[in-house]
Amino acid sequence: MGGRSCAVMAAAAGRVFRLCRRWGAGPRAQMLRLIYTTTAVQRKNVGASGPEKYTEAFIKKQIEEFNLGKRHLANMMGEDPETFTQEDIDRAIAYLFPSGLFDEQARPMMKHPREIFPEQRKIQWGEDGRPFHFLFYTGKQSYYSLMHETYEKLLNVEKYQDQLIAQDLPLQKEKRNLAGSRWLTKIELEEMLLEKLSDDDYSRFIQLLQKLTDLPCSDIEEKYIQKFSKELPVQMQKVVIEPLQYDEQGVAFSTGEGRRKTARATAVVYDNGTGKMTVNGKDILHYFPVLQDREQLLFPFQFLGRIGKHDAVCTVSGGGRSAQAGAIRLACAKALRSFVTEKEVEFMRQAGLLTVDPRVKERKKPGQEGARRKFTWKKR
Amino acid sequence: MAAPSVAGLGRRLRAWVPRLMQVRWSRYNPSYLEPEVNKELYQKPLEELTEEEKEQMDLKAVRPIKAAPPTLSSSVFSDPMISKFTNMMMRDGNKVLARSLMTQTLEAIKRKQLEKYHKAPENEKETIECNPHVIFHQALKNCQPIIGLSNITKGGKTYQVPVPLKDNRKRFLAMKWLITECRENKHRRTLMPEKLSQELLLAFKNEGPVIKRKHALHKMAEANRAYAHFRWQ
């Protein structure tokens, strides 16, 4: 029972290694083990690159094996096979096959075959060799048929517009909120069409879509356009603001962490204060003799108009003078989020106070003196 | 050349690595927008905003924003023009020195103007400008050239063709001329703040060597008017 389930699991895990023919030059040459690498991981669109590698029947069999293996795994872990989700599978595999490999894609995994074997296009021609699609010989049949379809919609909209003009009716234009959505990326479009696209093709398609949306009466083709656009989430929704904490005297306070280059800082901002700020036990006037650094520390408070109202106790380590100031600024801004309304948090974000500065020292490259500076050019 | 180092810190900082190695690139993803520090713009009520501003607001709500640089602050004392000038004056990354020179220059301007103010008769007191920031901005504006020359090679020969300049380029040239003028054409013992304040006050009144240089450039452009059509080859 145990041996069989292991074998099933191993098969359903879909990770076996390819033995190339040329390695086994001697007596081993007769052994050929068929293997499948996880192409989902490599994100290559196998779509139309060759004849069908995985038949329908094969994939069906893989799915059956996967489901069976899932139930066996659930049994082994002592959980209910009916409510065994993918996350449970991942946890179980990580427990049973612990791997120290750094690359997460190289570790043993057990996923649904649809995620492992990429979607393949079925054979495009019948038994007599005649292709099904009329644009087959263009080489990019899905792409061109998509372009044809979109252009047809465009002509439709223009015809509708002409009708409205002929009847002297006003052309409506309810503004579509363009800021809230984006077009599909090239990779997503490739996955949709199961065909490789070039950058030029992609940009031509997006231009055509843009032209369609810019027409006044494009609302009639709204459903078609929505197939190719995705909602952009509002940035603010991603962040969770912690509630205020209260210490023994009943004074509200809040903590924040910040970093800049190699400096790491934590700040505790207290309410009902007089505007005193302490860094590593010293007053900011002593710790930061340079005016620019003190300006940076007070920036979040000045922006919100709360200069004399809060006390701050900060600790910082690492980095240089300016990096420490930047780290404390970020820490204070994050701590102030709990004291302030959501609108003001959004204003802080738009002022650049809540973003971690990703700029770090650029590495020195070989063959150059520094990151950018090259060695003195000598003619001889 | 080797790709930017994102090995250890890259994934943590989620910095953006371009697909093809570019010469001018930044750690930010191209979708990041510039931060807006001005407090007044945020306090405007919704009705006063124009269509463009509303669209901008919508865009900003969805896109990530870059971190504000250390030179930028919402206080009344931080001026982007003065920061730019300070950076151009800076040598070997010594920002502390450059900033102190700048503050000393503004102080010197204020002192000189106050001296003039107290010595002037009553009716002229209003015409004397004492605010050093106003003097600085006006002087820079007066120094900006309108038209510049660019080298265009045609038929083997290089011609100096008059060409309109962009705003950034004008500001850069004005600041560069001021700084080079102050570094080179002075007596060995005079310090930078004194010389700079002198030059700024002269430029404010449309006199002085920097203004002369600007006029010389305009004259050259006027002289080479015949080649203006080379701009469109």
Side-chain angles (χ1 to χ4, degrees), chain A residues 11-15 35-41 44 46 53-55 58-63 66 111-120:
Chain A
R15 273 236 111 211
I35 295 116
Y36 316 104
T37 47
T38 48
T39 30
V41 150
K44 260 196 232 154
V46 187
K53 285 194 185 145
Y54 318 117
T55 51
F58 171 79
I59 299 229
K60 260 197 190 156
K61 194 164 139 266
Q62 292 290 315
I63 296 180
F66 172 77
K111 295 220 184 319
H112 189 89
R114 285 264 175 251
E115 289 170 42
I116 296 183
F117 302 103
E119 268 183 66
Q120 277 262 301

PDB file of all heavy atoms in Angstrom, chain A residues 11-15 35-41 44 46 53-55 58-63 66 111-120:
ATOM      1  N   ALA A  11       4.810   9.602  -9.688  1.00  0.00           N
ATOM      2  CA  ALA A  11       4.376   9.811 -11.070  1.00  0.00           C
ATOM      3  C   ALA A  11       3.582  11.104 -11.178  1.00  0.00           C
ATOM      4  O   ALA A  11       3.764  11.886 -12.104  1.00  0.00           O
ATOM      5  CB  ALA A  11       3.544   8.617 -11.540  1.00  0.00           C
ATOM      6  N   ALA A  12       2.703  11.291 -10.182  1.00  0.00           N
ATOM      7  CA  ALA A  12       1.859  12.482 -10.229  1.00  0.00           C
ATOM      8  C   ALA A  12       2.667  13.753  -9.944  1.00  0.00           C
ATOM      9  O   ALA A  12       2.256  14.837 -10.268  1.00  0.00           O
ATOM     10  CB  ALA A  12       0.720  12.363  -9.215  1.00  0.00           C
ATOM     11  N   ALA A  13       3.812  13.582  -9.305  1.00  0.00           N
ATOM     12  CA  ALA A  13       4.626  14.770  -9.051  1.00  0.00           C
ATOM     13  C   ALA A  13       5.155  15.348 -10.352  1.00  0.00           C
ATOM     14  O   ALA A  13       5.445  16.530 -10.442  1.00  0.00           O
ATOM     15  CB  ALA A  13       5.787  14.449  -8.132  1.00  0.00           C
ATOM     16  N   GLY A  14       5.296  14.537 -11.366  1.00  0.00           N
ATOM     17  CA  GLY A  14       5.662  15.070 -12.673  1.00  0.00           C
ATOM     18  C   GLY A  14       7.085  15.566 -12.738  1.00  0.00           C
ATOM     19  O   GLY A  14       7.404  16.468 -13.475  1.00  0.00           O
ATOM     20  N   ARG A  15       7.955  15.017 -11.955  1.00  0.00           N
ATOM     21  CA  ARG A  15       9.339  15.488 -12.007  1.00  0.00           C
ATOM     22  C   ARG A  15      10.239  14.302 -12.181  1.00  0.00           C
ATOM     23  O   ARG A  15      10.493  13.573 -11.262  1.00  0.00           O
ATOM     24  CB  ARG A  15       9.679  16.178 -10.686  1.00  0.00           C
ATOM     25  CG  ARG A  15       9.297  17.619 -10.696  1.00  0.00           C
ATOM     26  CD  ARG A  15      10.465  18.480 -10.390  1.00  0.00           C
ATOM     27  NE  ARG A  15      10.840  19.227 -11.581  1.00  0.00           N
ATOM     28  CZ  ARG A  15      12.077  19.589 -11.867  1.00  0.00           C
ATOM     29  NH1 ARG A  15      13.034  19.249 -11.071  1.00  0.00           N
ATOM     30  NH2 ARG A  15      12.335  20.282 -12.916  1.00  0.00           N
ATOM     31  N   ILE A  35      10.762  11.401 -20.001  1.00  0.00           N
ATOM     32  CA  ILE A  35      10.652  12.312 -18.869  1.00  0.00           C
ATOM     33  C   ILE A  35       9.968  13.606 -19.295  1.00  0.00           C
ATOM     34  O   ILE A  35      10.050  14.029 -20.425  1.00  0.00           O
ATOM     35  CB  ILE A  35      12.053  12.673 -18.344  1.00  0.00           C
ATOM     36  CG1 ILE A  35      12.720  11.423 -17.795  1.00  0.00           C
ATOM     37  CG2 ILE A  35      11.970  13.700 -17.241  1.00  0.00           C
ATOM     38  CD1 ILE A  35      13.907  11.043 -18.522  1.00  0.00           C
ATOM     39  N   TYR A  36       9.349  14.238 -18.350  1.00  0.00           N
ATOM     40  CA  TYR A  36       8.697  15.510 -18.632  1.00  0.00           C
ATOM     41  C   TYR A  36       9.214  16.548 -17.642  1.00  0.00           C
ATOM     42  O   TYR A  36       9.099  16.377 -16.445  1.00  0.00           O
ATOM     43  CB  TYR A  36       7.180  15.373 -18.469  1.00  0.00           C
ATOM     44  CG  TYR A  36       6.669  14.118 -19.104  1.00  0.00           C
ATOM     45  CD1 TYR A  36       6.310  13.032 -18.324  1.00  0.00           C
ATOM     46  CD2 TYR A  36       6.585  14.000 -20.485  1.00  0.00           C
ATOM     47  CE1 TYR A  36       5.864  11.873 -18.899  1.00  0.00           C
ATOM     48  CE2 TYR A  36       6.139  12.842 -21.064  1.00  0.00           C
ATOM     49  CZ  TYR A  36       5.776  11.785 -20.271  1.00  0.00           C
ATOM     50  OH  TYR A  36       5.326  10.641 -20.836  1.00  0.00           O
ATOM     51  N   THR A  37       9.755  17.626 -18.154  1.00  0.00           N
ATOM     52  CA  THR A  37      10.164  18.707 -17.253  1.00  0.00           C
ATOM     53  C   THR A  37       9.005  19.650 -17.052  1.00  0.00           C
ATOM     54  O   THR A  37       8.118  19.725 -17.886  1.00  0.00           O
ATOM     55  CB  THR A  37      11.342  19.498 -17.845  1.00  0.00           C
ATOM     56  OG1 THR A  37      11.042  19.792 -19.193  1.00  0.00           O
ATOM     57  CG2 THR A  37      12.612  18.699 -17.765  1.00  0.00           C
ATOM     58  N   THR A  38       9.025  20.355 -15.955  1.00  0.00           N
ATOM     59  CA  THR A  38       7.894  21.242 -15.651  1.00  0.00           C
ATOM     60  C   THR A  38       8.017  22.516 -16.466  1.00  0.00           C
ATOM     61  O   THR A  38       8.682  23.455 -16.088  1.00  0.00           O
ATOM     62  CB  THR A  38       7.878  21.619 -14.173  1.00  0.00           C
ATOM     63  OG1 THR A  38       9.189  22.028 -13.827  1.00  0.00           O
ATOM     64  CG2 THR A  38       7.449  20.462 -13.332  1.00  0.00           C
ATOM     65  N   THR A  39       7.364  22.526 -17.608  1.00  0.00           N
ATOM     66  CA  THR A  39       7.469  23.674 -18.490  1.00  0.00           C
ATOM     67  C   THR A  39       6.646  24.859 -17.996  1.00  0.00           C
ATOM     68  O   THR A  39       6.898  25.976 -18.360  1.00  0.00           O
ATOM     69  CB  THR A  39       6.994  23.314 -19.909  1.00  0.00           C
ATOM     70  OG1 THR A  39       6.016  22.298 -19.781  1.00  0.00           O
ATOM     71  CG2 THR A  39       8.133  22.821 -20.749  1.00  0.00           C
ATOM     72  N   ALA A  40       5.669  24.581 -17.140  1.00  0.00           N
ATOM     73  CA  ALA A  40       4.893  25.714 -16.600  1.00  0.00           C
ATOM     74  C   ALA A  40       5.836  26.663 -15.888  1.00  0.00           C
ATOM     75  O   ALA A  40       5.672  27.862 -15.885  1.00  0.00           O
ATOM     76  CB  ALA A  40       3.847  25.194 -15.627  1.00  0.00           C
ATOM     77  N   VAL A  41       6.840  26.054 -15.278  1.00  0.00           N
ATOM     78  CA  VAL A  41       7.824  26.804 -14.530  1.00  0.00           C
ATOM     79  C   VAL A  41       8.644  27.708 -15.445  1.00  0.00           C
ATOM     80  O   VAL A  41       8.973  28.825 -15.132  1.00  0.00           O
ATOM     81  CB  VAL A  41       8.710  25.774 -13.809  1.00  0.00           C
ATOM     82  CG1 VAL A  41      10.083  26.286 -13.616  1.00  0.00           C
ATOM     83  CG2 VAL A  41       8.036  25.332 -12.553  1.00  0.00           C
ATOM     84  N   LYS A  44       7.255  28.780 -21.009  1.00  0.00           N
ATOM     85  CA  LYS A  44       7.431  28.850 -22.452  1.00  0.00           C
ATOM     86  C   LYS A  44       6.131  28.460 -23.085  1.00  0.00           C
ATOM     87  O   LYS A  44       5.448  27.557 -22.642  1.00  0.00           O
ATOM     88  CB  LYS A  44       8.526  27.863 -22.880  1.00  0.00           C
ATOM     89  CG  LYS A  44       9.852  28.559 -23.109  1.00  0.00           C
ATOM     90  CD  LYS A  44      10.784  27.691 -23.882  1.00  0.00           C
ATOM     91  CE  LYS A  44      12.082  27.639 -23.087  1.00  0.00           C
ATOM     92  NZ  LYS A  44      12.843  26.484 -23.321  1.00  0.00           N
ATOM     93  N   VAL A  46       4.481  26.552 -25.457  1.00  0.00           N
ATOM     94  CA  VAL A  46       4.778  25.454 -26.368  1.00  0.00           C
ATOM     95  C   VAL A  46       3.805  25.453 -27.529  1.00  0.00           C
ATOM     96  O   VAL A  46       4.040  24.863 -28.553  1.00  0.00           O
ATOM     97  CB  VAL A  46       4.705  24.129 -25.598  1.00  0.00           C
ATOM     98  CG1 VAL A  46       5.163  22.974 -26.442  1.00  0.00           C
ATOM     99  CG2 VAL A  46       5.584  24.222 -24.371  1.00  0.00           C
ATOM    100  N   LYS A  53       2.631  17.171 -28.345  1.00  0.00           N
ATOM    101  CA  LYS A  53       3.494  16.320 -27.526  1.00  0.00           C
ATOM    102  C   LYS A  53       2.677  15.500 -26.537  1.00  0.00           C
ATOM    103  O   LYS A  53       3.016  14.386 -26.218  1.00  0.00           O
ATOM    104  CB  LYS A  53       4.476  17.206 -26.751  1.00  0.00           C
ATOM    105  CG  LYS A  53       5.567  17.745 -27.643  1.00  0.00           C
ATOM    106  CD  LYS A  53       6.699  18.334 -26.848  1.00  0.00           C
ATOM    107  CE  LYS A  53       7.691  18.949 -27.828  1.00  0.00           C
ATOM    108  NZ  LYS A  53       8.327  20.127 -27.365  1.00  0.00           N
ATOM    109  N   TYR A  54       1.645  16.097 -26.031  1.00  0.00           N
ATOM    110  CA  TYR A  54       0.830  15.386 -25.035  1.00  0.00           C
ATOM    111  C   TYR A  54      -0.579  15.249 -25.592  1.00  0.00           C
ATOM    112  O   TYR A  54      -1.250  16.239 -25.814  1.00  0.00           O
ATOM    113  CB  TYR A  54       0.773  16.168 -23.727  1.00  0.00           C
ATOM    114  CG  TYR A  54       2.098  16.751 -23.321  1.00  0.00           C
ATOM    115  CD1 TYR A  54       2.258  18.119 -23.222  1.00  0.00           C
ATOM    116  CD2 TYR A  54       3.194  15.935 -23.058  1.00  0.00           C
ATOM    117  CE1 TYR A  54       3.467  18.666 -22.854  1.00  0.00           C
ATOM    118  CE2 TYR A  54       4.397  16.470 -22.702  1.00  0.00           C
ATOM    119  CZ  TYR A  54       4.536  17.830 -22.600  1.00  0.00           C
ATOM    120  OH  TYR A  54       5.729  18.364 -22.238  1.00  0.00           O
ATOM    121  N   THR A  55      -1.026  14.018 -25.762  1.00  0.00           N
ATOM    122  CA  THR A  55      -2.374  13.819 -26.308  1.00  0.00           C
ATOM    123  C   THR A  55      -3.413  14.032 -25.221  1.00  0.00           C
ATOM    124  O   THR A  55      -3.108  14.009 -24.028  1.00  0.00           O
ATOM    125  CB  THR A  55      -2.527  12.382 -26.857  1.00  0.00           C
ATOM    126  OG1 THR A  55      -2.094  11.480 -25.824  1.00  0.00           O
ATOM    127  CG2 THR A  55      -1.670  12.173 -28.078  1.00  0.00           C
ATOM    128  N   PHE A  58      -3.586  11.223 -22.797  1.00  0.00           N
ATOM    129  CA  PHE A  58      -2.468  11.232 -21.848  1.00  0.00           C
ATOM    130  C   PHE A  58      -2.748  12.190 -20.707  1.00  0.00           C
ATOM    131  O   PHE A  58      -2.568  11.876 -19.532  1.00  0.00           O
ATOM    132  CB  PHE A  58      -1.193  11.615 -22.600  1.00  0.00           C
ATOM    133  CG  PHE A  58      -0.035  11.857 -21.701  1.00  0.00           C
ATOM    134  CD1 PHE A  58       0.666  10.794 -21.167  1.00  0.00           C
ATOM    135  CD2 PHE A  58       0.348  13.146 -21.375  1.00  0.00           C
ATOM    136  CE1 PHE A  58       1.730  11.014 -20.326  1.00  0.00           C
ATOM    137  CE2 PHE A  58       1.415  13.367 -20.538  1.00  0.00           C
ATOM    138  CZ  PHE A  58       2.110  12.301 -20.009  1.00  0.00           C
ATOM    139  N   ILE A  59      -3.205  13.383 -21.071  1.00  0.00           N
ATOM    140  CA  ILE A  59      -3.469  14.387 -20.027  1.00  0.00           C
ATOM    141  C   ILE A  59      -4.594  13.917 -19.119  1.00  0.00           C
ATOM    142  O   ILE A  59      -4.549  14.097 -17.900  1.00  0.00           O
ATOM    143  CB  ILE A  59      -3.805  15.761 -20.653  1.00  0.00           C
ATOM    144  CG1 ILE A  59      -2.629  16.251 -21.476  1.00  0.00           C
ATOM    145  CG2 ILE A  59      -4.223  16.755 -19.608  1.00  0.00           C
ATOM    146  CD1 ILE A  59      -2.169  17.619 -21.268  1.00  0.00           C
ATOM    147  N   LYS A  60      -5.596  13.279 -19.709  1.00  0.00           N
ATOM    148  CA  LYS A  60      -6.703  12.775 -18.881  1.00  0.00           C
ATOM    149  C   LYS A  60      -6.186  11.777 -17.872  1.00  0.00           C
ATOM    150  O   LYS A  60      -6.536  11.798 -16.683  1.00  0.00           O
ATOM    151  CB  LYS A  60      -7.725  12.084 -19.789  1.00  0.00           C
ATOM    152  CG  LYS A  60      -8.925  12.927 -20.123  1.00  0.00           C
ATOM    153  CD  LYS A  60     -10.033  12.051 -20.656  1.00  0.00           C
ATOM    154  CE  LYS A  60     -11.115  12.957 -21.205  1.00  0.00           C
ATOM    155  NZ  LYS A  60     -11.908  12.273 -22.200  1.00  0.00           N
ATOM    156  N   LYS A  61      -5.300  10.895 -18.369  1.00  0.00           N
ATOM    157  CA  LYS A  61      -4.759   9.868 -17.484  1.00  0.00           C
ATOM    158  C   LYS A  61      -3.978  10.544 -16.357  1.00  0.00           C
ATOM    159  O   LYS A  61      -4.078  10.148 -15.198  1.00  0.00           O
ATOM    160  CB  LYS A  61      -3.846   8.938 -18.286  1.00  0.00           C
ATOM    161  CG  LYS A  61      -3.505   7.663 -17.581  1.00  0.00           C
ATOM    162  CD  LYS A  61      -2.957   6.644 -18.558  1.00  0.00           C
ATOM    163  CE  LYS A  61      -1.799   5.919 -17.906  1.00  0.00           C
ATOM    164  NZ  LYS A  61      -0.489   6.362 -18.109  1.00  0.00           N
ATOM    165  N   GLN A  62      -3.200  11.569 -16.694  1.00  0.00           N
ATOM    166  CA  GLN A  62      -2.415  12.274 -15.686  1.00  0.00           C
ATOM    167  C   GLN A  62      -3.324  12.888 -14.636  1.00  0.00           C
ATOM    168  O   GLN A  62      -3.020  12.866 -13.444  1.00  0.00           O
ATOM    169  CB  GLN A  62      -1.575  13.378 -16.338  1.00  0.00           C
ATOM    170  CG  GLN A  62      -0.465  12.864 -17.222  1.00  0.00           C
ATOM    171  CD  GLN A  62       0.632  12.197 -16.410  1.00  0.00           C
ATOM    172  OE1 GLN A  62       1.066  12.701 -15.387  1.00  0.00           O
ATOM    173  NE2 GLN A  62       1.060  11.047 -16.864  1.00  0.00           N
ATOM    174  N   ILE A  63      -4.447  13.455 -15.113  1.00  0.00           N
ATOM    175  CA  ILE A  63      -5.370  14.084 -14.156  1.00  0.00           C
ATOM    176  C   ILE A  63      -5.941  13.025 -13.218  1.00  0.00           C
ATOM    177  O   ILE A  63      -6.047  13.238 -12.005  1.00  0.00           O
ATOM    178  CB  ILE A  63      -6.486  14.849 -14.890  1.00  0.00           C
ATOM    179  CG1 ILE A  63      -5.895  16.009 -15.687  1.00  0.00           C
ATOM    180  CG2 ILE A  63      -7.517  15.368 -13.911  1.00  0.00           C
ATOM    181  CD1 ILE A  63      -6.901  16.820 -16.436  1.00  0.00           C
ATOM    182  N   PHE A  66      -3.379  12.122 -10.772  1.00  0.00           N
ATOM    183  CA  PHE A  66      -3.194  13.203  -9.792  1.00  0.00           C
ATOM    184  C   PHE A  66      -4.269  13.149  -8.725  1.00  0.00           C
ATOM    185  O   PHE A  66      -4.004  13.241  -7.523  1.00  0.00           O
ATOM    186  CB  PHE A  66      -3.200  14.548 -10.517  1.00  0.00           C
ATOM    187  CG  PHE A  66      -3.211  15.722  -9.597  1.00  0.00           C
ATOM    188  CD1 PHE A  66      -2.059  16.115  -8.943  1.00  0.00           C
ATOM    189  CD2 PHE A  66      -4.378  16.443  -9.369  1.00  0.00           C
ATOM    190  CE1 PHE A  66      -2.069  17.198  -8.088  1.00  0.00           C
ATOM    191  CE2 PHE A  66      -4.381  17.532  -8.517  1.00  0.00           C
ATOM    192  CZ  PHE A  66      -3.230  17.899  -7.876  1.00  0.00           C
ATOM    193  N   LYS A 111       1.491  19.213  -8.563  1.00  0.00           N
ATOM    194  CA  LYS A 111       0.465  20.170  -8.961  1.00  0.00           C
ATOM    195  C   LYS A 111      -0.451  19.530  -9.985  1.00  0.00           C
ATOM    196  O   LYS A 111      -0.111  18.547 -10.628  1.00  0.00           O
ATOM    197  CB  LYS A 111       1.132  21.408  -9.571  1.00  0.00           C
ATOM    198  CG  LYS A 111       1.960  22.185  -8.587  1.00  0.00           C
ATOM    199  CD  LYS A 111       1.770  23.676  -8.819  1.00  0.00           C
ATOM    200  CE  LYS A 111       2.594  24.582  -7.985  1.00  0.00           C
ATOM    201  NZ  LYS A 111       2.862  24.412  -6.679  1.00  0.00           N
ATOM    202  N   HIS A 112      -1.598  20.153 -10.156  1.00  0.00           N
ATOM    203  CA  HIS A 112      -2.546  19.678 -11.145  1.00  0.00           C
ATOM    204  C   HIS A 112      -1.884  19.671 -12.529  1.00  0.00           C
ATOM    205  O   HIS A 112      -1.201  20.625 -12.884  1.00  0.00           O
ATOM    206  CB  HIS A 112      -3.757  20.604 -11.153  1.00  0.00           C
ATOM    207  CG  HIS A 112      -4.877  20.096 -11.975  1.00  0.00           C
ATOM    208  ND1 HIS A 112      -5.857  19.263 -11.476  1.00  0.00           N
ATOM    209  CD2 HIS A 112      -5.159  20.271 -13.280  1.00  0.00           C
ATOM    210  CE1 HIS A 112      -6.707  18.971 -12.433  1.00  0.00           C
ATOM    211  NE2 HIS A 112      -6.321  19.571 -13.541  1.00  0.00           N
ATOM    212  N   PRO A 113      -2.091  18.586 -13.316  1.00  0.00           N
ATOM    213  CA  PRO A 113      -1.417  18.482 -14.616  1.00  0.00           C
ATOM    214  C   PRO A 113      -1.641  19.685 -15.531  1.00  0.00           C
ATOM    215  O   PRO A 113      -0.795  20.005 -16.349  1.00  0.00           O
ATOM    216  CB  PRO A 113      -2.017  17.216 -15.224  1.00  0.00           C
ATOM    217  CG  PRO A 113      -2.361  16.387 -14.050  1.00  0.00           C
ATOM    218  CD  PRO A 113      -2.767  17.321 -12.972  1.00  0.00           C
ATOM    219  N   ARG A 114      -2.752  20.381 -15.375  1.00  0.00           N
ATOM    220  CA  ARG A 114      -2.977  21.544 -16.265  1.00  0.00           C
ATOM    221  C   ARG A 114      -1.944  22.618 -16.020  1.00  0.00           C
ATOM    222  O   ARG A 114      -1.623  23.409 -16.896  1.00  0.00           O
ATOM    223  CB  ARG A 114      -4.374  22.136 -16.004  1.00  0.00           C
ATOM    224  CG  ARG A 114      -5.498  21.319 -16.574  1.00  0.00           C
ATOM    225  CD  ARG A 114      -5.945  21.841 -17.935  1.00  0.00           C
ATOM    226  NE  ARG A 114      -6.953  20.963 -18.510  1.00  0.00           N
ATOM    227  CZ  ARG A 114      -6.739  20.166 -19.543  1.00  0.00           C
ATOM    228  NH1 ARG A 114      -5.568  20.161 -20.150  1.00  0.00           N
ATOM    229  NH2 ARG A 114      -7.688  19.386 -19.991  1.00  0.00           N
ATOM    230  N   GLU A 115      -1.424  22.659 -14.756  1.00  0.00           N
ATOM    231  CA  GLU A 115      -0.399  23.672 -14.481  1.00  0.00           C
ATOM    232  C   GLU A 115       0.966  23.214 -14.920  1.00  0.00           C
ATOM    233  O   GLU A 115       1.863  24.009 -15.123  1.00  0.00           O
ATOM    234  CB  GLU A 115      -0.368  23.963 -12.973  1.00  0.00           C
ATOM    235  CG  GLU A 115      -1.583  24.712 -12.503  1.00  0.00           C
ATOM    236  CD  GLU A 115      -1.631  24.776 -10.993  1.00  0.00           C
ATOM    237  OE1 GLU A 115      -0.576  24.999 -10.373  1.00  0.00           O
ATOM    238  OE2 GLU A 115      -2.715  24.568 -10.443  1.00  0.00           O
ATOM    239  N   ILE A 116       1.154  21.915 -15.020  1.00  0.00           N
ATOM    240  CA  ILE A 116       2.477  21.400 -15.357  1.00  0.00           C
ATOM    241  C   ILE A 116       2.626  21.289 -16.874  1.00  0.00           C
ATOM    242  O   ILE A 116       3.592  21.776 -17.440  1.00  0.00           O
ATOM    243  CB  ILE A 116       2.699  20.034 -14.693  1.00  0.00           C
ATOM    244  CG1 ILE A 116       2.689  20.223 -13.177  1.00  0.00           C
ATOM    245  CG2 ILE A 116       4.004  19.438 -15.150  1.00  0.00           C
ATOM    246  CD1 ILE A 116       2.959  18.979 -12.411  1.00  0.00           C
ATOM    247  N   PHE A 117       1.660  20.654 -17.510  1.00  0.00           N
ATOM    248  CA  PHE A 117       1.733  20.540 -18.965  1.00  0.00           C
ATOM    249  C   PHE A 117       1.032  21.749 -19.562  1.00  0.00           C
ATOM    250  O   PHE A 117      -0.144  21.943 -19.337  1.00  0.00           O
ATOM    251  CB  PHE A 117       1.036  19.262 -19.416  1.00  0.00           C
ATOM    252  CG  PHE A 117       1.622  18.035 -18.789  1.00  0.00           C
ATOM    253  CD1 PHE A 117       0.972  17.408 -17.738  1.00  0.00           C
ATOM    254  CD2 PHE A 117       2.827  17.514 -19.237  1.00  0.00           C
ATOM    255  CE1 PHE A 117       1.509  16.279 -17.145  1.00  0.00           C
ATOM    256  CE2 PHE A 117       3.367  16.400 -18.648  1.00  0.00           C
ATOM    257  CZ  PHE A 117       2.709  15.779 -17.592  1.00  0.00           C
ATOM    258  N   PRO A 118       1.742  22.562 -20.317  1.00  0.00           N
ATOM    259  CA  PRO A 118       1.098  23.772 -20.822  1.00  0.00           C
ATOM    260  C   PRO A 118       0.045  23.433 -21.863  1.00  0.00           C
ATOM    261  O   PRO A 118       0.079  22.369 -22.471  1.00  0.00           O
ATOM    262  CB  PRO A 118       2.252  24.538 -21.466  1.00  0.00           C
ATOM    263  CG  PRO A 118       3.226  23.493 -21.837  1.00  0.00           C
ATOM    264  CD  PRO A 118       3.107  22.406 -20.829  1.00  0.00           C
ATOM    265  N   GLU A 119      -0.875  24.335 -22.032  1.00  0.00           N
ATOM    266  CA  GLU A 119      -1.950  24.109 -22.996  1.00  0.00           C
ATOM    267  C   GLU A 119      -1.396  24.005 -24.392  1.00  0.00           C
ATOM    268  O   GLU A 119      -0.637  24.850 -24.846  1.00  0.00           O
ATOM    269  CB  GLU A 119      -2.917  25.283 -22.943  1.00  0.00           C
ATOM    270  CG  GLU A 119      -4.047  25.065 -21.980  1.00  0.00           C
ATOM    271  CD  GLU A 119      -4.983  26.238 -22.038  1.00  0.00           C
ATOM    272  OE1 GLU A 119      -5.605  26.423 -23.096  1.00  0.00           O
ATOM    273  OE2 GLU A 119      -5.053  26.968 -21.053  1.00  0.00           O
ATOM    274  N   GLN A 120      -1.831  22.973 -25.060  1.00  0.00           N
ATOM    275  CA  GLN A 120      -1.321  22.721 -26.397  1.00  0.00           C
ATOM    276  C   GLN A 120      -2.421  22.942 -27.399  1.00  0.00           C
ATOM    277  O   GLN A 120      -3.569  22.649 -27.135  1.00  0.00           O
ATOM    278  CB  GLN A 120      -0.920  21.252 -26.487  1.00  0.00           C
ATOM    279  CG  GLN A 120       0.440  20.987 -25.944  1.00  0.00           C
ATOM    280  CD  GLN A 120       1.434  20.936 -27.066  1.00  0.00           C
ATOM    281  OE1 GLN A 120       1.315  20.135 -27.966  1.00  0.00           O
ATOM    282  NE2 GLN A 120       2.381  21.817 -27.025  1.00  0.00           N
TER     283      GLN A 120
END
